[in-house]
Amino acid sequence: MPTSPVNLYDGAARWMRSRGIEQWQPGGKDEEHFRLRIKEGEVWLAEAGGVTVGAFELWWDDEPAWGARPPVAGYIHRLMNDLTAAPPGLGRVMLAQAERRIAEAGRELARLDCLTSNPRLRTYYEAAGYQVVGEQPAKAGGPGGASYGVTLLERRL
């Protein structure tokens, strides 16, 4: 079972690729990535039975996707879980935790993005109360040099 954010990421990447979603790639994020995210933001882990079964990153800005913005939001990235071990509903629990943390920091918006070509994920976020507020067109620089567009979503807290 996954016990680190790297293992969770790789498992989620394999699951996506098996379903034709070309966003994450196994091996695309290493321990150094998560150490940097902890230094510059936050990485949250979810455990069940003493095993890490979910994680997400919380950023305090996201210029590549959202552009320069005033500091009114927190940005949720890499919401992921181990589909073989995580309890049902863990994604929503982690979203709620991220939203609480953002609100505790005095910010009024939770923002995230998802692959424009993944309508299932967009529907998931909309069902959790997020509204589409824009699109970021495809540009080079994604995993392995790939380019893909993202849908920008936010929720007022």
Side-chain angles (χ1 to χ4, degrees):
M1 285 189 220
T3 57
S4 76
V6 172
N7 291 340
L8 286 168
Y9 178 89
D10 286 348
R14 283 190 294 275
W15 181 88
M16 283 185 212
R17 295 182 73 74
S18 75
R19 285 156 180 78
I21 301 167
E22 300 289 329
Q23 182 174 352
W24 294 358
Q25 296 181 15
K29 302 293 177 209
D30 60 11
E31 293 292 339
E32 182 58 30
H33 165 84
F34 290 101
R35 278 193 291 275
L36 180 62
R37 292 314 319 151
I38 290 168
K39 181 179 174 186
E40 294 180 353
E42 300 177 16
V43 175
W44 289 73
L45 305 176
E47 291 186 353
V51 176
T52 301
V53 294
F56 65 88
E57 295 176 16
L58 186 56
W59 300 7
W60 299 110
D61 61 51
D62 184 4
E63 286 194 34
W66 289 82
R69 301 278 178 125
V72 297
Y75 299 83
I76 304 164
H77 283 277
R78 274 174 272 293
L79 181 71
M80 53 193 166
N81 63 44
D82 177 350
L83 296 173
T84 65
L90 179 62
R92 290 285 179 90
V93 170
M94 290 190 297
L95 274 177
Q97 177 60 41
E99 292 162 0
R100 277 191 300 277
R101 175 67 185 106
I102 292 165
E104 288 169 0
R107 299 196 178 194
E108 61 194 54
L109 297 168
R111 290 182 174 148
L112 48 79
D113 60 71
C114 67
L115 195 64
T116 300
S117 62
N118 189 345
R120 182 176 170 193
L121 187 54
R122 175 181 166 168
T123 299
Y124 175 83
Y125 289 132
E126 288 176 326
Y130 286 77
Q131 296 182 326
V132 173
V133 295
E135 300 282 331
Q136 179 64 260
K139 57 184 173 185
S147 65
Y148 52 86
V150 295
T151 300
L152 306 173
L153 299 102
E154 69 181 19
R155 179 176 183 188
R156 185 161 298 284
L157 303 176

